[in-house]
């Protein structure tokens, strides 16, 4: 039986669709999607949560994106600029995009290069705390040459100039809607952030943060025969297991995302015959982000900030390496992921050319070696078995989002760490809050009011440059940038920053791979990141839903305009 919330959302959707577009568009009625991590905001520049980026992707679009193979494809532009076709300058300092003629915003106004240039200014405003600022690294200017031509100029030669406006994490905002939302005002523009005007196949009709979004077919969408669905009810909440059940067993929903559920349970559900599981590997890594700063509540506003001082023990590489060595990753994969998981020791696990082998020591659990590391570093076990040094105990708060697999992983790791004299308190936070990005909440993953936190994210496409930019000193979340930024561990290294600048200037996959591996290794060796599992994305769709093409290189909903109802 349908939930009361879904019934109400369905009624609202039907009412909204009564004024829908022509018969060829929206002929398949309503699509029900369930993301058990509910959408908190529909502006991906203000959230690092994948669920917010993906929810936004029904409305907001980039100039280009990545298909299911990781290949870059033009989206709102004529083609992908290259040196060969003249779109990228020979000195690699500019890239020029040619926008397709006739694209309109959902309010009927023209989509122009001015909107693209504005989006860059919006995200690059340092007082705005743009979550996707790494995509704009080294951008000196973005100029609207004419209404359909936009030129990006970089301060240095840029061998991979496809950070800005490529992929779901870097879409284009409408200047007219967001021009009064610059800088510190960005999070205050509730109407714009909850109801963005876009070029995508759908428009927002009703938004309830951390609950449900109702979308309707965009009457101005560039393909008059798409989307096939007149409305989308995008429900949030619950847990991964109930989401899977709602598609595979009860048929309440057409699509469910991110099914982080024990593999044997998923197999039993799929046997009901109502739907099928779809999966693909990309760059997603379940990992620990380790707090390099002091999370002591007594520090007040300086808690988990650089100003509050370094962490009392997690800045000791012997401690973080011992924590990693104590983990049996094979057991974690077997218990929680099955074929959808692989042991990894890297933050960047793919493509293969970028995957380091320098950290392969982590693949095999070694309690004896972990204990020796701590012994040699002077961490001595007390009468209760917990190690301490200079009055500091190895006692940690370990947080993650609420999910049965993650709570199972927490319990296993707590036991493993107890074998090396580490005391662990477990905490889990509702996923919609944890990944929500609310600067007022103490429970977001950016605030990291804990010693370590565990979660997964990935990067668009196959080049990790923009992703690796997230761990520069300038990307540390703090009150000054509304707690936004990708560097949750508060890792800061002049050597890392300098090496990243070298990557941004280096051409050729082989040479870039060498530097990318070095950056990956620096984060792992410093203990800022403890990788655990290379995760394949697992979702489910009803047998009656066609057109789904699983994509781990971009938004999972990247081709939702092509989804349709089948017999």
């Amino acid at each position: 039986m349908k939930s009361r919330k879904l019934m109400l959302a369905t009624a609202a959707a039907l009412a909204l669709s009564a004024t829908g577009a022509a018969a060829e568009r929206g002929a398949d009625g309503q699509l029900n999607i369930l993301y058990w991590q509910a959408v908190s905001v529909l502006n991906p520049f203000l959230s690092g949560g994948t669920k917010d980026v993906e929810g936004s992707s029904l409305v907001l679009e980039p100039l280009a994106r990545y298909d299911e193979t990781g290949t870059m494809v033009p989206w709102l532009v004529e083609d992908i600029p290259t040196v060969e076709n003249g779109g990228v300058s020979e000195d690699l300092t500019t890239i020029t995009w040619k926008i397709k003629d006739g694209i309109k915003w959902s309010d009927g106004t023209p989509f122009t290069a001015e909107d693209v240039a504005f989006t860059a200014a919006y995200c690059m405003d340092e007082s705005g705390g743009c979550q996707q600022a790494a995509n704009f690294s080294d951008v000196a200017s973005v100029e609207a040459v004419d209404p359909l031509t936009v030129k990006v100029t970089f301060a240095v030669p840029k061998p991979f100039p496809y950070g800005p406006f490529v992929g779901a994490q870097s879409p284009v905002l409408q200047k007219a809607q967001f021009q009064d939302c610059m800088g510190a005002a960005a999070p205050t523009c509730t109407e714009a952030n909850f109801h963005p005007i876009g070029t995508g196949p759908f428009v927002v009709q009703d938004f309830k943060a951390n609950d449900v979004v109702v979308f309707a077919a965009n009457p101005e969408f560039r393909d008059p025969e798409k989307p096939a669905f007149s409305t989308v009810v995008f429900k949030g909440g619950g847990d991964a297991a109930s989401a899977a059940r709602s598609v595979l067993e009860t048929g309440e929903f057409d699509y469910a995302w991110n099914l982080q559920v024990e593999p044997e349970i998923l197999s039993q559900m799929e046997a009901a015959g109502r739907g099928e599981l779809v999966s693909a590997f990309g760059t997603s890594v379940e990992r620990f982000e380790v707090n390099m700063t002091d999370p002591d509540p007594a520090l007040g506003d300086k808690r988990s900030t650089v100003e509050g001082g370094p962490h009392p023990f997690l800045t000791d590489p012997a401690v973080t390496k011992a924590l990693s060595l104590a983990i049996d990753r094979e057991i974690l994969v077997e218990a929680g992921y099955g074929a959808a998981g692989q042991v990894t020791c890297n933050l960047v696990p793919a493509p293969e050319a970028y995957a380091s082998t320098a950290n392969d020591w982590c693949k095999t659990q070694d309690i004896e070696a972990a204990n020796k590391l701590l012994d040699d570093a002077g961490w001595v076990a007390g009468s209760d078995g917990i190690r301490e040094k200079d009055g500091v105990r190895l006692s940690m708060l370990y947080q993650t989002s609420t999910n049965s697999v993650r709570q199972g992983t927490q319990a296993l790791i707590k036991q493993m760490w107890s074998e090396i004299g580490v005391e662990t308190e477990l905490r889990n936070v509702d996923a919609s809050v944890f990944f929500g990005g609310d600067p007022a909440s103490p429970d977001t993953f950016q605030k990291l009011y804990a010693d370590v936190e565990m979660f997964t994210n990935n990067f668009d496409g196959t080049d990790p440059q923009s992703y690796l930019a997230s761990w520069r000193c300038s990307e540390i979340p703090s009150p000054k940038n509304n707690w936004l930024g990708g560097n949750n561990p508060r890792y800061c290294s002049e050597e890392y920053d300098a090496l990243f600048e070298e990557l941004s200037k280096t051409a050729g996959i082989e040479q870039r791979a060498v530097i990318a591996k070095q950056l990956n290794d620096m984060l792992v060796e410093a203990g800022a990141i403890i990788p655990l599992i290379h995760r394949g994305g697992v979702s489910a769709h009803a047998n009656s839903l066609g057109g789904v093409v699983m994509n781990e290189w971009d938004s999972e909903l990247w081709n939702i305009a092509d989804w349709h109802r089948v017999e």
Side-chain angles (χ1 to χ4, degrees), residues 447-504:
K447 281 217 174 146
L448 187 44
Y449 283 173
D451 299 289
V452 296
E453 63 185 2
M454 184 181 73
F455 65 94
T456 292
N457 72 1
N458 60 358
F459 56 91
D460 287 344
T462 57
D463 189 279
Q465 178 177 317
S466 293
Y467 190 57
L468 290 167
S470 296
W471 287 274
R472 294 173 300 168
C473 300
S474 60
E475 289 296 305
I476 294 174
S478 73
K480 296 176 183 177
N481 59 17
N482 291 315
W483 294 100
L484 295 173
N487 190 350
N488 296 321
R490 288 66 161 144
Y491 170 80
C492 186
S493 164
E494 292 182 1
E495 183 183 357
Y496 183 94
D497 285 9
L499 189 58
F500 176 82
E501 291 304 314
E502 185 178 341
L503 174 64
S504 70

Side-chain angles (χ1 to χ4, degrees), residues 57-92:
S57 72
L58 276 72
V59 176
L60 299 173
E61 299 181 301
L63 299 183
R65 64 188 340 152
Y66 298 92
D67 67 13
E68 74 277 15
T69 69
T71 301
M72 197 182 309
V73 292
W75 211 251
L76 301 179
V77 292
E78 296 290 346
D79 52 29
I80 301 298
T82 63
V83 173
E84 290 72 23
N85 65 22
V88 175
S89 63
E90 297 219 358
D91 65 0
L92 307 180

Side-chain angles (χ1 to χ4, degrees), residues 2 7 12 27 46 78 83 106 140 154 182 200 273 280 348 375 395 397 511 519:
K2 291 188 177 182
M7 290 172 65
L46 297 184
E78 296 290 346
V83 173
S106 58
F154 298 97
M182 298 283 286
V348 179
D375 288 341
S395 180
L397 175 58
Q511 293 81 8
L519 291 168

Side-chain angles (χ1 to χ4, degrees), residues 185-206:
T188 70
C189 291
T190 304
E191 178 62 22
N193 294 329
F194 285 4
H195 295 81
I197 294 168
T199 58
F202 294 95
V203 297
V204 184
Q205 293 289 343
D206 190 34

Side-chain angles (χ1 to χ4, degrees), residues 259-264 331-338 340 405 409 412:
L259 302 182
Q260 194 175 11
V261 179
E262 292 80 356
E264 64 275 12
I331 287 180
L332 302 184
V333 169
E334 181 181 345
Y337 298 88
V405 171
T409 298
L412 288 169

Side-chain angles (χ1 to χ4, degrees), residues 32 68 118 121 152 167 194 282 287 302 317 400 442 469 495 517 519:
N32 293 322
E68 74 277 15
F118 165 77
V152 181
F194 285 4
R287 75 313 190 91
K302 294 183 178 180
T400 189
E495 183 183 357
K517 289 176 184 178
L519 291 168

Side-chain angles (χ1 to χ4, degrees), residues 373-410:
L373 271 173
L374 295 174
D375 288 341
D376 292 347
W379 293 96
V380 179
S383 58
D384 59 357
I386 306 304
R387 291 178 180 270
E388 59 179 51
K389 177 182 178 181
D390 300 329
V392 175
R393 285 167 57 86
L394 291 188
S395 180
M396 298 198 303
L397 175 58
Y398 163 11
Q399 72 177 18
T400 189
S401 63
T402 305
N403 168 273
S404 64
V405 171
R406 286 198 166 125
Q407 271 65 83
T409 298
Q410 280 187 305

